[in-house]
Amino acid sequence: MLIRGTFVQCAESSKLDIFEDHLLAVNESGVITHFGPGRSSQAASLLSGQGPSAVLQVPEGSFVLPTFCDLHLHAPQFLYQGNGLHLPLLEWLNQYAFEAEKRLDGDPALARKVYSRLARRLKENGTGAVLLFGTIKEQTNLILADIMNAAGIRAFVGKLSMDQNSLPTYIEASAEASVLAARSFVETMHDTFRHPRIVEPVVTPRFVPTCSDDLLVGLGALAASHNVRIQSHLAESHDQVNAVLTERGVDDINVFERSQLLTPRTVQAHCTFLDPPSLSRLYESGTSVAHCPLSNAYFSAKPFPLREALDLNVKVGLGTDVAGGYSLDIMNAMRQAVMVSRMRQGSNILDAKHDKSVAIDWIEALHLATRGGARALGLSIGMFEVGAPFDAQQISLWDPATEESVGALDFFDAEDKKITPTSLEKWWCLGDTRNRTGMWVQGLKLDPFT
């Protein structure tokens, strides 16, 4: 496959790259084999003898961007997205989250319906890679994995592990039973989804309050022996932090660390109550953070110290945290991340703390949504580089045939109708699903864009 046109990426945190008239080649395995100027000798060689139909020409007014990565999404909670956000975290879990998860575990037809719609919405929103929390029951998580695989989404699926502090009807019998169930899920996933393996299992202790020490130690050993990713929640809310400290006598970061669950393969959601020394421990262990600004506004008493984490070189990406967050759109998560950081900076100014700004800008947020999330997942996507899988989305700002702007965008001057930092910032602020006209994962074009 050959694609020619304008490409945009944020391979580095504060750097926006706009590649005008570039040619990108993708082989049958979905891997980029060439990326360079469209008028180079190498491009001429690749284009030689090719008919017009063999080259996808990105129209004027459009560009190709890496797909978004969502590092934290509770798939079964999509069932009640947009509801129940009036309660504290632990009450919300009992009243809404556990009940929804239990319901899908008991109704495979409903699970298939919910997860099919979720996959469709993810593609509409440009999410090509997603880290998913599932439910307790293996079969329900296999349904989730099957649907994501069929949809072509790069999905990392976690079967929940929890042996305490849950509903009596939604809990695993013991630490031993929970570890065995997690092992069965990991091995079944590896046997079922082979080549290309865009769907993978994730070891998923829900969070420390619902997992005994024996369970956490067993899951750490399982993840190490099978070399699989790990996900959980860390230092999310005041009530959760206090509950762990009361029960275990130490903070949850210590519990995860002694259980071998802070690794380069680990993504921890939230981390809002971590101080700089604790963030340094995440960096030293290679653990990544899923920053979920919207759900933090509902369930955490403080925002995540994003700038401090980035300055310490902690790997950070963005998460929607449906249904603790009500939006599946990573574009909203980008905007919310910038808003929260600016509010933090405003507080610093009022408190006469002027040493260094803690605000981030839209380019840094775009990096977090693409390459930042990919790094957290240990993937080489999120940028256009030879040897990387081609995961991308096509964005349209205006229609060259009608000269009309697309969606919520408005361009009034002819000079505005160029792919520049100015027009990209407008899209970043105002764009929505109407601007998305194509999407590929591992080189395959996905429905509904085929």
Side-chain angles (χ1 to χ4, degrees):
M1 177 172 64
L2 296 172
I3 302 177
R4 186 171 185 174
T6 298
F7 295 79
V8 174
Q9 68 177 22
C10 291
E12 300 174 21
S13 180
S14 299
K15 187 171 182 285
L16 177 69
D17 295 315
I18 302 174
F19 302 102
E20 294 183 347
D21 189 23
H22 268 52
L23 182 70
L24 183 143
V26 182
N27 66 17
E28 293 181 354
S29 298
V31 174
I32 299 171
T33 57
H34 171 83
F35 183 62
R39 297 184 182 276
S40 69
S41 58
Q42 284 181 290
S45 177
L46 287 167
L47 292 169
S48 177
Q50 301 286 349
S53 62
V55 182
L56 173 61
Q57 182 67 51
V58 180
E60 178 188 350
S62 296
F63 63 93
V64 178
L65 176 80
T67 51
F68 298 138
C69 297
D70 189 338
L71 295 188
H72 190 56
L73 195 161
H74 292 263
Q77 294 176 21
F78 182 60
L79 178 68
Y80 65 93
Q81 177 192 15
N83 291 120
L85 297 173
H86 59 290
L87 296 173
L89 176 63
L90 298 184
E91 292 181 40
W92 175 81
L93 284 171
N94 284 309
Q95 188 168 330
Y96 285 93
F98 294 162
E99 291 291 348
E101 294 166 15
K102 184 175 69 170
R103 184 179 172 196
L104 264 63
D105 268 351
D107 189 342
L110 178 62
R112 189 165 289 277
K113 181 178 181 180
V114 170
Y115 293 157
S116 295
R117 179 60 61 88
L118 173 61
R120 173 180 153 190
R121 296 296 189 204
L122 288 171
K123 289 188 288 185
E124 288 175 357
N125 287 295
T127 299
V130 59
L131 186 55
L132 296 164
F133 274 62
T135 61
I136 284 179
K137 190 175 180 181
E138 178 177 304
Q139 191 57 41
T140 311
N141 295 299
L142 292 175
I143 290 172
L144 173 59
D146 180 62
I147 287 170
M148 293 294 154
N149 187 64
I153 296 171
R154 197 179 295 279
F156 303 90
V157 179
K159 190 208 87 67
L160 288 178
S161 297
M162 42 198 289
D163 66 340
Q164 64 179 35
N165 295 331
S166 181
L167 300 179
T169 54
Y170 191 62
I171 194 169
E172 292 172 296
S174 66
E176 181 181 10
S178 184
V179 172
L180 288 174
R183 181 185 300 275
S184 173
F185 174 69
V186 167
E187 293 176 351
T188 300
M189 284 282 291
H190 282 164
D191 289 341
T192 304
F193 302 100
R194 291 180 176 272
H195 302 291
R197 182 174 285 167
I198 64 167
V199 177
E200 298 184 31
V202 185
V203 167
T204 308
R206 182 178 210 116
F207 65 162
V208 171
T210 58
C211 299
S212 66
D213 286 345
D214 287 345
L215 173 55
L216 292 169
V217 169
L219 293 176
L222 171 63
S225 66
H226 287 66
N227 194 34
V228 294
R229 291 173 176 82
I230 301 161
Q231 63 176 339
S232 192
H233 303 80
L234 173 59
E236 176 179 5
S237 70
H238 190 258
D239 52 350
Q240 176 253 308
V241 168
N242 284 343
V244 173
L245 192 58
T246 299
E247 180 183 299
R248 311 292 171 97
V250 294
D251 291 324
D252 49 359
I253 189 171
N254 295 301
V255 178
F256 281 121
E257 190 171 51
R258 72 192 186 194
S259 303
Q260 305 303 309
L261 289 167
L262 296 183
T263 76
R265 304 181 312 280
T266 301
V267 176
Q268 290 283 6
H270 308 301
C271 302
T272 54
F273 280 83
L274 295 187
D275 57 15
S278 295
L279 291 171
S280 293
R281 290 166 66 182
L282 294 188
Y283 167 73
E284 290 163 3
S285 68
T287 295
S288 303
V289 175
H291 176 34
C292 308
L294 180 57
S295 65
N296 290 163
Y298 280 98
F299 293 117
S300 182
K302 61 189 299 187
F304 173 61
L306 175 59
R307 171 59 66 198
E308 293 88 332
L310 295 175
D311 287 348
L312 288 167
N313 294 315
V314 177
K315 293 178 292 184
V316 182
L318 297 176
T320 59
D321 196 17
V322 166
Y326 54 75
S327 173
L328 272 175
D329 193 349
I330 284 289
M331 291 195 71
N332 285 334
M334 285 194 282
R335 295 161 184 154
Q336 291 147 6
V338 171
M339 291 175 194
V340 170
S341 75
R342 291 178 68 90
M343 291 294 289
R344 292 187 68 223
Q345 178 58 17
S347 295
N348 282 355
I349 292 172
L350 292 176
D351 293 337
K353 297 177 181 178
H354 298 286
D355 291 345
K356 182 177 181 180
S357 175
V358 296
I360 69 165
D361 61 25
W362 71 273
I363 293 174
E364 290 173 289
L366 185 56
H367 170 79
L368 294 177
T370 54
R371 182 61 192 144
R375 286 185 65 239
L377 290 170
L379 303 174
S380 57
I381 61 172
M383 58 183 177
F384 303 114
E385 183 175 88
V386 172
F390 181 60
D391 287 23
Q393 53 185 314
Q394 182 173 308
I395 304 296
S396 177
L397 303 186
W398 66 88
D399 185 339
T402 64
E403 297 190 357
E404 289 293 322
S405 306
V406 176
L409 305 183
D410 292 297
F411 297 96
F412 298 104
D413 298 315
E415 56 266 27
D416 290 339
K417 291 187 176 180
K418 298 177 182 178
I419 306 299
T420 64
T422 299
S423 61
L424 290 172
E425 183 181 15
K426 183 182 285 284
W427 161 76
W428 185 92
C429 287
L430 301 173
D432 56 34
T433 58
R434 290 172 290 179
N435 300 103
R436 191 163 292 103
T437 57
M439 186 169 169
W440 300 261
V441 169
Q442 198 73 36
L444 295 178
K445 195 165 191 180
L446 305 187
D447 292 330
F449 304 107
T450 53

